[in-house]
Amino acid sequence: MRNVIIIGSGPAGYTAAIYAARANLKPVLIASSVEAGGELMNTTEVENFPGFPQGIQGPDLMFKMQEQAERFGTEVILDDVTEVSLDGPVKTVTTGYSGTLEARSVIFATGSAYRKLGLADEERLSGRGISWCATCDGFFFKEKTIAVVGGGDSAMEEATFLTRFASKVYVIHRKDSLRASKIMQERAFQNEKIEFLWNNEVVGINGDNAVESVTLRNTVDGSEQVLPLGGLFVAIGNDPRVHLVHQQLELTSDGVIAVDGRSSRTSLAGVFAAGDVIDPHYRQAITAAASGTVAALDMESYLAELEQAEAHLDAPADHEAEAEAEAVESASARAAASASEAATVGA
Amino acid sequence: MSARAVTEQSFNQEVLQSDKPVLVDFWAAWCGPCRMVSPILDQIASENTDKLDIVKVNVDENPQLAVDYQITSIPALKVFKGGEVVQSIVGAKPKAALEADLAAFLA
């Protein structure tokens, strides 16, 4: 049985792996098959990660994190987790092609997934003018008029990046101010190709075979207008990826995995969570990395506690398993009590 | 065996005139998800050599093909049969999901 399985390969997952590997715990990290490296793989310049004064490309940063985790003995598996069983002292994690793994602890660092607009024609026109990845698809919109929906850093970064290709980029935002950082806002405001459409939300996407226009509704007076467009990039935020742990771990009212206070301890003993999957507010590469550290340290103390409990067991051999289960159960009950308290406070 | 590259020059013969169904992977070096899905397509190709041909089109080097097939998001996977597009898949997906999408051509 392994010490720890880390699920996820963004900054949280790799940082947890670096700490766990340096603690000699030989972590295995399940990175996903097609999304290894996480959200930063679709990002261009990262300018706010300390230690890189000239900035660093998102994918380069993630390859470096992976290399650092592997240097200390992390086993990285490029596969997807299909099922987890987290109850009790032995956690099992089932993968698509690499079999079922067992471990005494699990760290969830599954991050978040792009939020969709939730419009009827969104799916139909995906890949026909609707995109979630400016770095992948900007190339196809040379000299076109396009729009980015959203008001955060990702939306500003995408809009600015897309001006390399497009002749005009509208930013559609449902409020009259942005939540993006000041530097990203300024960069977008100063870009002549970018025009802001404040207080507008997209209520319809139109086109038979490709996006031809969007229908906008003014959030102040309710009026609607049709805006002709060659493409629409959606950057309206992310939702925590918790589908694997539904019914198993407590979630908060924000939909993230509930943890005990500032720790990474979830409602089940031996199960920890880090990064965007527990964070509805900050969601930065560096906060995710820090959160990964917390998870690795919490996991280390849990394993140490477990070992101590096992060492102190002087029960006869046939009762050993039972006693161990009991010890784990009491730790589990403690964790569950504090996490549900956190969940209640959140609600 | 990895999927071979097809260009604007060879597209007609290798894709449109092929007797077998051909899956074309439209990709580019700058596209992270394209690089992730590429080895998965190589695997599917080598496991199904008798049923489905899998080839790659670099859209950076062959922009006219991207225009002809109205590619606006990559990776874009298109299955050609008798010169016609019979299925389109957009975005990188895990192997099992791709196999499910391509079931009709892998059976």
Side-chain angles (χ1 to χ4, degrees):
Chain A
M1 187 167 37
R2 293 163 191 273
N3 291 309
V4 58
I5 298 168
I6 298 165
I7 305 174
S9 55
Y14 278 135
T15 308
I18 291 166
Y19 273 76
R22 281 174 49 79
N24 243 341
L25 293 171
K26 299 188 172 47
V28 54
L29 181 147
I30 304 174
S32 142
S33 62
V34 292
E35 291 176 294
E39 214 185 320
L40 282 178
M41 295 301 282
N42 294 335
T43 308
T44 53
E45 199 86 23
V46 179
E47 294 177 329
N48 53 10
F49 202 89
F52 299 94
Q54 308 304 323
I56 181 168
Q57 295 292 313
D60 293 342
L61 180 61
M62 295 324 298
F63 290 134
K64 279 177 190 288
M65 286 192 196
Q66 179 179 349
E67 194 187 329
Q68 195 172 349
E70 286 176 329
R71 179 184 155 203
F72 298 107
T74 303
E75 182 190 347
V76 176
I77 297 180
L78 293 177
D79 202 343
D80 305 290
V81 174
T82 54
E83 215 184 318
V84 294
S85 172
L86 304 173
D87 233 350
V90 180
K91 324 290 181 195
T92 65
V93 173
T94 306
T95 64
Y97 297 91
S98 316
T100 297
L101 291 81
E102 290 187 345
R104 295 194 287 168
S105 68
V106 171
I107 295 176
F108 274 91
T110 45
S112 52
Y114 299 119
R115 189 173 295 160
K116 301 199 166 186
L117 289 165
L119 296 172
D121 294 302
E122 193 172 3
E123 202 59 44
R124 182 174 65 83
L125 292 171
S126 278
R128 296 166 181 269
I130 301 179
S131 172
W132 280 264
C133 177
T135 56
C136 304
D137 302 338
F139 172 84
F140 301 107
F141 296 90
K142 282 178 187 156
E143 301 307 317
K144 298 226 164 106
T145 295
I146 60 177
V148 174
V149 197
D153 273 345
S154 316
M156 292 312 105
E157 190 204 337
E158 294 206 351
T160 307
F161 176 80
L162 288 166
T163 59
R164 294 188 199 180
F165 306 98
S167 53
K168 168 129 199 151
V169 179
Y170 290 103
V171 172
I172 301 167
H173 187 44
R174 60 197 161 129
K175 296 180 187 157
D176 61 2
S177 63
L178 301 168
R179 70 174 183 276
S181 59
K182 280 282 180 278
I183 184 168
M184 301 296 281
Q185 292 194 24
E186 282 309 316
R187 220 171 271 171
F189 288 152
Q190 278 163 18
N191 193 314
E192 284 174 359
K193 286 186 176 176
I194 297 178
E195 182 179 335
F196 283 81
L197 298 172
W198 302 107
N199 297 318
N200 271 288
E201 58 184 345
V202 179
V203 292
I205 307 167
N206 318 307
D208 290 334
N209 292 312
V211 173
E212 288 163 18
S213 66
V214 295
T215 306
L216 301 179
R217 183 188 293 144
N218 190 296
T219 55
V220 178
D221 63 18
S223 63
E224 291 192 1
Q225 59 161 318
V226 173
L227 178 71
L229 285 179
L232 184 70
F233 286 78
V234 183
I236 54 171
N238 299 56
D239 290 314
R241 238 189 277 244
V242 292
H243 60 279
L244 285 171
V245 298
H246 268 302
Q247 320 292 330
Q248 298 198 56
L249 296 181
E250 296 218 22
L251 305 181
T252 73
S253 58
D254 287 315
V256 298
I257 296 176
V259 291
D260 178 15
R262 297 186 60 196
S263 82
S264 65
R265 292 188 296 272
T266 70
S267 52
L268 286 178
V271 181
F272 306 88
D276 279 11
V277 81
I278 63 166
D279 177 8
H281 301 298
Y282 306 108
R283 315 163 65 92
Q284 303 298 303
I286 192 69
T287 54
S291 173
T293 303
V294 169
L297 297 177
D298 286 344
M299 176 271 299
E300 282 173 40
S301 350
Y302 171 78
L303 291 185
E305 214 175 290
L306 210 61
E307 236 162 68
Q308 232 169 5
E310 279 164 14
H312 282 86
L313 285 178
D314 44 16
D318 53 337
H319 291 313
E320 230 169 68
E322 210 176 295
E324 183 183 329
E326 238 166 64
V328 168
E329 216 136 87
S330 75
S332 161
R334 238 182 310 131
S338 9
S340 43
E341 204 172 287
T344 318
V345 172
Chain B
M1 187 195 78
S2 44
R4 67 184 184 283
V6 164
T7 65
E8 282 166 3
Q9 285 70 40
S10 61
F11 194 83
N12 184 49
Q13 200 193 333
E14 296 215 36
V15 177
L16 301 181
Q17 307 291 332
S18 171
D19 298 334
K20 260 196 289 185
V22 184
L23 183 148
V24 182
D25 169 23
F26 292 87
W27 73 285
W30 69 74
C31 158
C34 298
R35 290 192 301 210
M36 301 308 292
V37 83
S38 174
I40 294 174
L41 291 173
D42 290 347
Q43 272 179 29
I44 295 177
S46 61
E47 289 163 11
N48 298 277
T49 43
D50 52 328
K51 299 167 199 137
L52 182 69
D53 209 6
I54 300 188
V55 301
K56 294 172 199 245
V57 167
N58 184 322
V59 294
D60 214 8
E61 293 161 5
N62 303 281
Q64 191 54 46
L65 286 176
V67 173
D68 291 350
Y69 291 99
Q70 296 171 308
I71 307 293
T72 64
S73 284
I74 50 174
L77 313 176
K78 289 186 185 287
V79 181
F80 289 77
K81 206 173 170 182
E84 301 286 326
V85 177
V86 291
Q87 191 175 0
S88 295
I89 300 166
V90 175
K93 293 183 182 185
K95 190 179 179 198
L98 283 178
E99 284 174 338
D101 285 351
L102 297 170
F105 308 102
L106 303 179

